[in-house]
């Protein structure tokens, strides 16, 4: 009997376990995640695969543009900009490579800008779009003014105010070169007012006029505040003319000077003490804060870099600003500016008009500096070689090197480089001040 009871209990236990397993199975099943994925690719004939590959090539995108293709801003593009426009811009970037490598025209600027332009005109890839390689760099530091301020910091660390402090009257040459900025502002407003060729507002004309100072960072700084819609065109124009200083300036300099004036030897500069070099950047910054606060982001960064250099106690920081920092920022800045060489943004009326006004502004600034030097020579005192007046534009140190090079063409023993650095440095400060004035008036 006992054995029969044990068998009965065992049977009942097995039966209950089976029923429990059947009830629990539906509950456990949904907890298991499925790893199965439907295959979306459908097999196709080899000829169709080859056809699909050919349709995805850049050649096909240039010859048979996609009617639904958008530019970097999500706007529709014309067939010209999708096809021949891109071909034209790619050829222009090759020209920039030639000028940088063969002619040696500011390769630090032209090579990154040219390569950025080449990448921006590659069809299909959309590298200049918001999520593209170039678009990310552009919004990372160009659209928010970061790159221009970092560039000013590095330039400040590379600048020696000694030539300006030893011969303060050369500051008038840097001031005179700003005539190109304000003269172009008046000219742009007059063209918009009395002709149908241009339709620039006061803010846009102000941003365009800064190109006359040949100062790329300052042009970007003011454009982001007064005319962000023209930022790309203004950045391209200003940096293009900075790189073209060796081409644009010499004919103007020679046309406005005589052979005798080009041979003028300037007196030896006095020694500038370390205390003077330490006090000067602080004094300039304090004046900017008191009189023109809108200019202090640029002037503050410029004077900060210079003050660290002249302090002599933070060589590591100064060396980083002069080399690693400015080199890294120059790479990113050049690529970001080059991204605006896309055909749909460059080959348009507004950009071409800005380029035309920019060359007028830059030429006027160069001429004004040379003429101011000639006027200064009418008064008693040591003579100034008018060639250094062209260095009043703030393309540092390119404009100073051009002044020295042209002077040595007429007298190989007449070194003008350090003398030209005086107006060149004054031009950097002058363009930042001019930008501050325009921002304070028209913002």
């Amino acid at each position: 009997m006992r054995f029969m009871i044990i068998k009965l209990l065992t049977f009942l236990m097995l039966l209950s376990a089976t029923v429990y397993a059947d009830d629990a199975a539906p509950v456990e099943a949904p907890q298991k995640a499925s790893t199965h994925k439907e295959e979306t690719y459908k097999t196709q004939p080899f000829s169709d695969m080859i056809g699909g590959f050919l349709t995805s090539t850049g050649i096909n995108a240039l010859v048979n543009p996609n009617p639904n293709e958008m530019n970097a801003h999500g706007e529709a593009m014309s067939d010209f900009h999708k096809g021949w426009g891109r071909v034209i811009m790619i050829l222009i970037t090759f020209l920039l490579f030639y000028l940088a490598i063969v002619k040696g025209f500011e390769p630090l600027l032209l090579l990154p800008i040219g390569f950025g332009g080449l990448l921006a005109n590659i069809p299909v890839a959309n590298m200049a779009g918001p999520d593209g390689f170039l678009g990310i760099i552009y919004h990372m530091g160009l659209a928010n003014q970061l790159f221009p301020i970092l560039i000013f910091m590095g330039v400040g660390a590379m600048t020696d105010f000694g030539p300006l402090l030893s011969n303060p009257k050369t500051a008038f040459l840097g001031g005179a070169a700003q005539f190109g900025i304000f003269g172009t502002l008046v000219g742009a407003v007059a063209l918009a007012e009395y002709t149908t060729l241009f339709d620039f507002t006061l803010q846009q004309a102000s941003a365009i006029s800064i190109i006359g100072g040949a100062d790329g960072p300052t042009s970007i700084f003011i454009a982001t505040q007064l005319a962000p819609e023209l930022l790309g065109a203004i950045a391209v124009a200003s940096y293009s003319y900075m790189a073209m200083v060796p081409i644009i300036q010499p004919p103007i300099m020679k046309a406005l000077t005589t052979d005798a004036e080009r041979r003028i030897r300037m007196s030896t500069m006095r020694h500038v003490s370390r205390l003077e070099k330490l006090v000067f950047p602080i004094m300039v910054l304090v004046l900017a804060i008191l009189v023109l606060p809108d200019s202090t982001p640029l002037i503050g960064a410029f004077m900060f870099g210079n003050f660290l250099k002249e302090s002599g106690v933070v060589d590591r920081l100064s060396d980083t600003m002069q080399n690693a920092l400015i080199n890294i920022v120059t790479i990113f800045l050049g690529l970001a500016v080059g991204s605006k060489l896309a055909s749909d943004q460059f080959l348009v009326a507004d950009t071409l008009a800005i380029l035309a006004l920019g060359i007028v502004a830059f030429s006027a600034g160069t001429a004004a500096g040379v003429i101011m030097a000639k006027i200064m020579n009418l008064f008693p005192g040591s003579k100034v070689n008018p060639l250094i007046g062209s260095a009043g534009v703030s393309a540092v140190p390119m404009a100073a090197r051009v002044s020295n090079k042209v002077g040595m063409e007429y007298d190989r023993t007449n070194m003008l480089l350090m003398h030209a650095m005086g107006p060149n440095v004054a031009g950097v400060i002058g363009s930042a001040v001019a930008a501050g004035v325009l921002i304070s008036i028209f913002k």
Side-chain angles (χ1 to χ4, degrees):
M1 176 64 71
R2 184 183 302 172
F3 181 71
M4 292 295 294
I5 293 173
I6 292 173
K7 289 177 66 176
L8 179 62
L9 291 175
T10 303
F11 174 76
L12 292 174
M13 290 175 64
L14 289 174
L15 181 63
S16 63
T18 305
V19 172
Y20 176 77
D22 291 340
D23 292 339
V27 177
E28 292 178 356
Q31 295 177 353
K32 296 180 180 179
S34 175
T35 57
H36 177 69
K37 183 179 180 181
E38 288 293 333
E39 182 64 59
T40 57
Y41 175 77
K42 296 181 180 179
T43 57
Q44 50 186 325
F46 182 73
S47 58
D48 290 348
M49 294 172 62
I50 294 297
F53 170 74
L54 293 177
T55 3
S56 68
T57 60
I59 297 176
N60 181 71
L62 293 173
V63 177
N64 301 306
N66 179 3
N68 300 319
E69 183 178 359
M70 300 294 180
N71 64 10
H73 301 290
E75 301 166 347
M77 297 174 63
S78 69
D79 287 342
F80 170 75
H81 289 141
K82 297 175 190 174
W84 281 109
R86 281 176 169 154
V87 173
I88 293 171
M89 291 309 302
I90 289 173
L91 294 177
I92 289 176
T93 61
F94 289 164
L95 174 62
L96 297 181
F97 295 155
Y98 171 79
L99 293 175
I101 298 172
V102 179
K103 296 297 184 180
F105 292 157
E106 297 306 324
L108 291 178
L109 287 176
L110 285 188
L111 285 181
I113 290 174
F115 212 91
L118 179 60
L119 295 176
N121 285 284
I122 295 176
V124 181
N126 195 26
M127 297 184 70
D131 299 323
F133 166 56
L134 297 177
I136 293 172
I137 294 176
Y138 178 84
H139 292 287
M140 176 180 71
L142 205 63
N144 60 11
Q145 307 174 10
L146 177 62
F147 288 164
I149 291 175
L150 293 179
I151 288 287
F152 256 66
M153 194 182 297
V155 171
M158 299 169 65
T159 298
D160 181 8
F161 285 119
L164 177 61
L165 294 174
S166 66
N167 192 4
K169 68 180 182 181
T170 57
F172 289 109
L173 303 178
Q178 308 313 310
F179 173 81
I181 294 175
F182 294 100
T184 304
L185 170 61
V186 174
V189 172
L191 287 173
E193 181 72 22
Y194 299 110
T195 70
T196 57
L197 297 176
F198 304 98
D199 188 25
F200 296 122
T201 65
L202 281 171
Q203 290 87 351
Q204 291 174 331
S206 300
I208 294 169
S209 66
I210 292 293
I211 299 173
D215 190 338
T218 304
S219 298
I220 294 171
F221 180 79
I222 189 173
T224 54
Q225 299 199 45
L226 297 185
E229 68 279 2
L230 299 180
L231 175 57
I234 289 173
V236 169
S238 58
Y239 274 96
S240 298
Y241 292 136
M242 281 180 68
M244 297 298 154
V245 163
I247 300 176
I248 299 171
Q249 284 196 324
I252 299 172
M253 297 159 64
K254 293 175 183 178
L256 295 175
T257 56
T258 64
D259 186 80
E261 287 175 329
R262 300 178 203 124
R263 297 176 184 272
I264 292 177
R265 287 179 171 272
M266 298 182 64
S267 56
T268 305
M269 297 182 295
R270 72 171 180 86
H271 173 71
V272 178
S273 68
R274 182 188 177 196
L275 180 61
E276 289 179 275
K277 293 184 177 181
L278 280 171
V279 170
F280 183 75
I282 300 299
M283 182 185 69
V284 172
L285 181 56
V286 169
L287 289 174
I289 293 171
L290 295 176
V291 180
L292 203 60
D294 285 308
S295 68
T296 49
L298 291 178
I299 291 182
F302 186 66
M303 296 306 165
F304 170 65
N306 183 259
F307 188 72
L308 292 193
K309 168 181 174 286
E310 298 299 345
S311 69
V313 294
V314 284
D315 290 340
R316 288 171 55 189
L317 299 183
S318 177
D319 180 70
T320 299
M321 288 182 184
Q322 295 180 46
N323 296 286
L325 177 65
I326 200 167
N327 288 338
I328 291 171
V329 177
T330 299
I331 293 171
F332 287 142
L333 181 64
L335 289 172
V337 171
S339 71
K340 297 306 173 182
L341 288 176
S343 60
D344 60 286
Q345 298 181 53
F346 189 84
L347 297 177
V348 293
D350 281 350
T351 303
L352 298 178
I354 289 171
L355 286 171
L357 288 171
I359 189 65
V360 172
F362 181 57
S363 301
T366 300
V370 175
I371 293 171
M372 174 57 76
K374 292 167 70 74
I375 293 173
M376 291 170 62
N377 286 339
L378 299 177
F379 296 90
S382 58
K383 299 297 182 182
V384 176
N385 190 314
L387 293 178
I388 72 169
S390 64
V393 297
S394 58
V396 179
M398 292 169 276
R401 290 203 301 257
V402 170
S403 297
N404 183 63
K405 181 181 177 182
V406 175
M408 291 187 69
E409 290 177 6
Y410 297 90
D411 184 351
R412 296 192 62 81
T413 63
N414 190 11
M415 298 294 293
L416 296 173
L417 182 59
M418 292 310 296
H419 297 288
M421 284 303 299
N424 208 186
V425 170
V428 176
I429 300 174
S431 63
V433 169
V437 170
L438 295 175
I439 291 172
S440 64
I441 294 174
F442 297 113
K443 186 170 65 175

